[in-house]
């Protein structure tokens, strides 16, 4: 992994040159499960060092700036767990990061691809070179699972307790995915046409392979997550049909063609909220 790590810092981030470069070896070798300990710490979580959902290490200059994009609707109790947990986890990773929660604020069918595209546009405008697309119900368990982009897209949640810690199929990219902003633009982001649950991630995977990119994964013991329980959005029964002409649509349907009724950006202490009406 260290071979893949390269300088990828947001030019807006002021680096103090007298500081040493951050090191990542210790983090990569720290493969213990964290959940119980982190859960305890969450009880006395303090937002120290966090502003607008953004944090940078104090002691060293980070090698990576990462935008965490969390698509969301109507799951306040999960957000209440996710946000302190992920900050507690990420503050120890020696990276500069910013959390965006992209909330669909209407009763229309769930459009996760569109929400990711809107979040990506904002993060790219703020000069983040790396995007991590993150389900709100997944909590990382291993400190070694570094929240950074490599030189190919990386599926980070290969090992989820709900699926007995087994990767359910090889092209799965749903859950948590790290991809550079450059690659996201190259793929034209997500399709905006998947309404309801399912398929938008598989369509994104076919964009990855159509552009001759790989899907990397860390070893399973570094990629473990626990999933919070919840009710799923209604399934999209049209998803198989939409996927069939995915390759033909990729150029005209994606990041370059997001349509919405309104978008608002509202910075809060622990995350920057992007509200969307489709
Ligand atoms: C798959 C879904 C994904 C989802 C994973 C994991 C579809 C399309 C079928 C051709 N894909 O079955 O969207 O992330 O399960 O839950 O439904």
């Amino acid at each position: 992994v260290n071979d893949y790590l390269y300088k990828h810092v947001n030019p807006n981030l002021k680096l103090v040159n007298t500081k040493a470069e951050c090191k990542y070896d210790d983090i990569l070798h720290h493969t213990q499960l964290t959940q119980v300990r982190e859960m305890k710490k969450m009880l006395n979580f303090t937002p120290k060092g966090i502003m607008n959902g953004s944090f940078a290490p104090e002691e060293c200059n980070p090698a990576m700036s990462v935008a965490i994009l969390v698509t969301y609707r109507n799951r306040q109790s999960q957000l209440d767990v996710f946000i302190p947990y992920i900050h507690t986890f990420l503050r120890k990773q020696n990276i500069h990061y910013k959390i965006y929660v992209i909330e669909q604020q209407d009763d229309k069918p769930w459009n996760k691809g569109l929400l990711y595209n809107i979040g990506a546009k904002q993060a790219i405008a703020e000069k983040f070179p790396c995007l991590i697309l993150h389900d709100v119900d997944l909590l990382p368990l291993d400190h070694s699972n570094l929240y950074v982009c490599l030189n190919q897209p990386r599926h980070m949640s290969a090992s989820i307790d709900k699926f007995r810690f087994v990767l359910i199929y090889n092209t799965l990219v749903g859950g948590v995915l790290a991809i550079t902003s450059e690659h996201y633009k190259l793929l034209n982001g997500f399709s905006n046409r998947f309404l309801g649950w399912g398929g938008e991630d598989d369509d994104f995977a076919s964009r990855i392979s159509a552009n001759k990119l790989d899907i990397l994964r860390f070893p399973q013991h570094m990629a473990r997550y626990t999933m919070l329980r919840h009710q799923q959005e209604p399934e999209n029964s049209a998803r198989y049909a939409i996927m069939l002409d995915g390759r033909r649509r990729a150029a005209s349907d994606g990041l370059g063609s997001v349509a919405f009724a309104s978008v608002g950006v509202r910075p809060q202490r622990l995350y920057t909220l992007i509200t969307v009406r489709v």
Side-chain angles (χ1 to χ4, degrees), residues 52-97:
N52 303 336
S54 175
F55 175 88
E58 257 178 32
E59 320 71 42
C60 55
N61 287 327
M64 279 277 171
S65 287
V66 176
I68 318 276
L69 308 181
V70 185
T71 51
Y72 171 80
R73 174 162 76 181
N74 213 4
R75 290 193 193 171
Q76 188 66 47
S77 59
Q78 291 195 347
L79 199 60
D80 291 346
V81 173
F82 178 81
I83 291 293
Y85 184 95
I86 203 76
H87 277 301
T88 306
F89 181 90
L90 289 174
R91 276 194 295 204
K92 289 200 284 276
Q93 288 221 328
N94 276 349
I95 57 169
H96 166 228
Y97 67 86

Side-chain angles (χ1 to χ4, degrees), residues 1-271:
V1 174
N2 272 320
D3 294 342
Y4 281 120
L5 260 177
Y6 49 96
K7 262 238 180 282
H8 228 68
V9 176
N10 185 332
N12 291 339
L13 181 70
K14 289 198 179 64
L15 293 181
V16 181
N17 285 326
T18 52
K19 283 185 201 168
E21 306 268 305
C22 293
K23 297 252 178 340
Y24 298 92
D25 289 6
D26 286 353
I27 295 168
L28 283 165
H29 290 114
H30 183 110
T31 58
Q32 227 175 322
L33 290 175
T34 64
Q35 189 184 16
V36 173
R37 218 174 44 228
E38 299 308 321
M39 289 286 183
K40 274 191 195 150
K41 279 194 198 140
M42 268 169 48
L43 297 175
N44 42 34
F45 173 77
T46 60
K48 190 171 175 285
I50 303 167
M51 195 50 76
N52 303 336
S54 175
F55 175 88
E58 257 178 32
E59 320 71 42
C60 55
N61 287 327
M64 279 277 171
S65 287
V66 176
I68 318 276
L69 308 181
V70 185
T71 51
Y72 171 80
R73 174 162 76 181
N74 213 4
R75 290 193 193 171
Q76 188 66 47
S77 59
Q78 291 195 347
L79 199 60
D80 291 346
V81 173
F82 178 81
I83 291 293
Y85 184 95
I86 203 76
H87 277 301
T88 306
F89 181 90
L90 289 174
R91 276 194 295 204
K92 289 200 284 276
Q93 288 221 328
N94 276 349
I95 57 169
H96 166 228
Y97 67 86
K98 178 168 178 174
I99 296 178
Y100 297 87
V101 173
I102 308 117
E103 178 177 18
Q104 185 171 332
Q105 281 193 339
D106 57 39
D107 296 323
K108 303 227 180 95
W110 172 240
N111 193 337
K112 190 171 183 175
L114 174 73
L115 298 179
Y116 274 140
N117 286 339
I118 290 170
K121 267 181 186 287
Q122 180 66 28
I124 291 169
E126 294 180 26
K127 306 250 185 298
F128 279 93
C130 169
L131 311 174
I132 294 185
L133 318 177
H134 212 302
D135 280 1
V136 69
D137 57 4
L138 288 179
L139 307 179
L141 295 175
D142 298 287
H143 277 300
S144 52
N145 198 358
L146 266 184
Y147 271 52
V148 299
C149 285
L150 305 182
N151 65 354
Q152 298 286 317
R154 175 169 60 113
H155 183 231
M156 297 176 61
S157 55
S159 181
I160 302 178
D161 58 356
K162 181 186 169 186
F163 302 125
R164 296 170 186 244
F165 296 108
V166 163
L167 179 65
I168 51 175
Y169 55 98
N170 237 316
T171 56
L172 180 67
V173 294
V176 186
L177 182 78
I179 182 167
T180 64
S181 301
E182 279 313 307
H183 283 157
Y184 196 89
K185 287 189 275 188
L186 175 74
L187 305 185
N188 195 21
F190 274 81
S191 167
N192 300 299
R193 298 204 192 157
F194 284 83
L195 307 182
W197 182 90
E200 81 293 331
D201 52 346
D202 296 321
D203 186 79
F204 193 72
S206 77
R207 292 180 181 212
I208 290 175
S209 64
N211 283 275
K212 309 239 178 316
L213 298 178
D214 291 329
I215 299 167
L216 302 178
R217 291 193 181 87
F218 280 4
Q220 293 287 94
H221 70 274
M222 297 163 86
R224 284 175 294 196
Y225 283 78
T226 187
M227 189 186 273
L228 302 170
R229 286 168 187 278
H230 59 86
Q231 233 193 345
Q232 199 168 284
E233 291 281 343
E235 267 185 39
N236 173 8
S237 55
R239 64 192 189 278
Y240 303 97
I242 308 172
M243 282 183 73
L244 283 179
D245 72 334
R247 294 225 170 166
R248 199 176 52 71
R249 270 183 303 102
S252 62
D253 167 23
L255 186 64
S257 59
V258 291
F260 48 80
S262 72
V263 164
V265 181
R266 299 181 196 166
Q268 305 184 5
R269 181 83 195 252
L270 296 181
Y271 53 88

